[in-house]
Amino acid sequence: MSNVVHAFTSTVPVWSPYVTPVDLASATPEQMAAMQVTPSNKGVSKYVLTLAHDPESLAVRSPLFNLIMYGKDGLSSAERELGAVGASVVNRCIYCAAVHASRFNGLTKRPEVIEAIFKDELEAKIAPREQAIFDFSARLSTTPSQLVQDDADALRKAGLDELEMLDLVLSSAIFGWANRLMHTLGEPLEP
């Protein structure tokens, strides 16, 4: 049996569900339709198969997630991934942090950013624009009601425009939900 991963890592763990995933071979037409809107074309993950127990929610969740994380305009893909990492660090979601750290590293070829974040977490010191993005995501994920005008001003000072700022809010906020799903439906295991 594999060990549960408790430390942040860029090596993506294996996500093991607590709930028995839907058996793809016996999925209902509604479940099959909901799973077809997932971004992966390499097969259906255990996570998606687990969410397929509620095909109505999955059918809405996947397109929304894809629009927020893979939108063509606004914040860059790497910066959306950084926002997801910020939320996942605050929420201690080892699996989501690893997945989105890996994607950030793949997009930027700058693993030192994630290494600094995983080493020092909320005290990490990174380049100014990335620092503003990470700090905002962390603050939004910690206590959203305490975000103030100064937080928006810090993003503007770092060069983000209005659409980029909204994309950051959306990408950070959806991980408040995604992290909670991951925590309650399964656990990250060593690969």
Side-chain angles (χ1 to χ4, degrees):
M1 178 174 221
S2 299
N3 294 321
V4 176
V5 180
H6 294 285
F8 291 118
T9 175
S10 295
T11 302
V12 178
V14 174
W15 186 76
S16 178
Y18 300 133
V19 177
T20 302
V22 167
D23 178 12
L24 191 59
S26 60
T28 67
E30 188 180 14
Q31 290 169 327
M32 292 297 288
M35 288 186 279
Q36 287 175 356
V37 295
T38 61
S40 172
N41 59 6
K42 298 176 184 172
V44 182
S45 70
K46 287 183 181 178
Y47 178 63
V48 170
L49 288 167
T50 301
L51 295 180
H53 283 291
D54 185 349
E56 287 180 76
S57 295
L58 179 59
V60 174
R61 173 255 176 221
S62 295
L64 177 62
F65 183 90
N66 291 339
L67 286 170
I68 290 172
M69 292 305 292
Y70 309 116
K72 301 290 185 221
D73 53 7
L75 202 61
S76 73
S77 295
E79 290 171 333
R80 291 173 205 229
E81 299 294 351
L82 185 59
V85 170
S88 299
V89 165
V90 168
N91 293 321
R92 310 294 308 168
C93 185
I94 301 299
Y95 184 82
C96 290
V99 167
H100 297 282
S102 175
R103 290 182 182 163
F104 177 88
N105 288 343
L107 290 165
T108 65
K109 311 297 185 211
R110 295 176 38 240
E112 66 274 10
V113 175
I114 295 299
E115 290 169 3
I117 291 171
F118 285 174
K119 177 179 176 281
D120 295 326
E121 299 185 12
L122 301 184
E123 303 303 318
K125 300 298 178 206
I126 52 183
R129 181 174 168 104
E130 291 165 343
Q131 186 79 59
I133 290 168
F134 178 75
D135 289 349
F136 184 90
S137 177
R139 284 182 50 79
L140 183 149
S141 301
T142 303
T143 312
S145 63
Q146 292 186 1
L147 285 173
V148 295
Q149 184 65 48
D150 287 348
D151 295 295
D153 292 344
L155 292 176
R156 280 192 196 92
K157 185 177 177 185
L160 277 74
D161 64 24
E162 303 299 322
L163 178 57
E164 291 172 323
M165 292 167 51
L166 180 58
D167 284 343
L168 178 58
V169 170
L170 292 170
S171 63
S172 301
I174 201 166
F175 273 86
W177 181 33
N179 294 161
R180 282 155 182 80
L181 289 173
M182 283 291 177
H183 277 301
T184 56
L185 294 174
E187 61 188 350
L189 303 179
E190 291 177 351

